[in-house]
């Protein structure tokens, strides 16, 4: 029992966003929200909103289950590079240096730790 949320074209470099993603990978949802709420890094607010969206997606998918009993955790989170905007910065002697304004795509999967036991019993039959 899992739910996916994706966020595309976030105007932050993938390297900076991966630092935040590595902090919450594998954590329980409640602990991850606590980490992200007080994290000063640039990407923390975007990942926090994405995590709340993933939890909401999980609720819509499993309306009969309660979140408290589901024991949700972040199963996978990965950051892919998006498109780059190219800009020119003036340089000495009439030249121009290229500036890359990078963006990224984040994919987050939330799963219930109570669910694998149910799935194993169903596949064994």
């Amino acid at each position: 029992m899992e739910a996916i949320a994706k966020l595309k074209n976030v105007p932050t470099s993938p390297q900076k966003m991966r630092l935040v993603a590595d902090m919450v990978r594998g954590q329980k949802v409640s602990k991850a929200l606590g980490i992200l709420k007080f994290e000063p890094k640039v990407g923390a607010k975007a990942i926090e909103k994405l995590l709340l969206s993933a939890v909401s997606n999980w609720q819509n998918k499993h309306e009969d289950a309660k979140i408290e009993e589901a024991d949700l955790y972040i199963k996978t989170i990965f950051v892919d590079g998006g498109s780059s905007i190219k800009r020119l910065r003036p340089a000495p002697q009439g030249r121009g240096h290229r500036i890359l304004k990078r963006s990224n795509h984040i994919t987050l999967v939330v799963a219930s730790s109570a669910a694998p036991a149910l799935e194993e019993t169903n596949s064994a039959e």
Side-chain angles (χ1 to χ4, degrees):
M1 294 177 20
E2 57 187 38
I4 300 172
K6 293 181 181 180
L7 185 60
K8 297 191 174 202
N9 296 320
V10 183
T12 308
S13 79
Q15 183 179 7
K16 291 178 184 176
M17 195 64 80
R18 283 186 191 110
L19 290 172
V20 180
D22 290 341
M23 288 192 295
V24 296
R25 185 175 287 119
Q27 299 284 342
K28 301 281 183 194
V29 168
S30 57
K31 185 175 180 182
L33 285 172
I35 291 170
L36 292 170
K37 185 174 180 79
F38 297 106
E39 181 58 41
K41 290 196 187 322
V42 176
K45 190 167 285 289
I47 292 181
E48 181 182 6
K49 282 182 74 173
L50 185 66
L51 181 57
L52 290 172
S53 175
V55 170
S56 177
N57 291 345
W58 188 91
Q59 275 182 317
N60 289 337
K61 203 173 186 181
H62 310 286
E63 293 176 356
D64 55 332
K66 292 184 178 178
I67 287 186
E68 295 82 19
E69 297 170 359
D71 203 23
L72 295 176
Y73 71 101
I74 299 175
K75 184 176 180 181
T76 57
I77 180 171
F78 54 91
V79 179
D80 296 325
S83 59
S84 296
I85 301 172
K86 283 108 180 156
R87 295 287 182 253
L88 286 177
R89 166 169 250 156
Q93 300 179 355
R95 292 176 298 182
H97 290 196
R98 179 172 274 186
I99 301 293
L100 289 177
K101 296 194 173 204
R102 301 177 189 274
S103 66
N104 62 61
H105 309 307
I106 310 167
T107 304
L108 191 141
V109 179
V110 172
S112 171
S113 58
L118 295 174
E119 292 173 7
E120 288 174 11
T121 57
N122 291 339
S123 63
E125 293 175 359

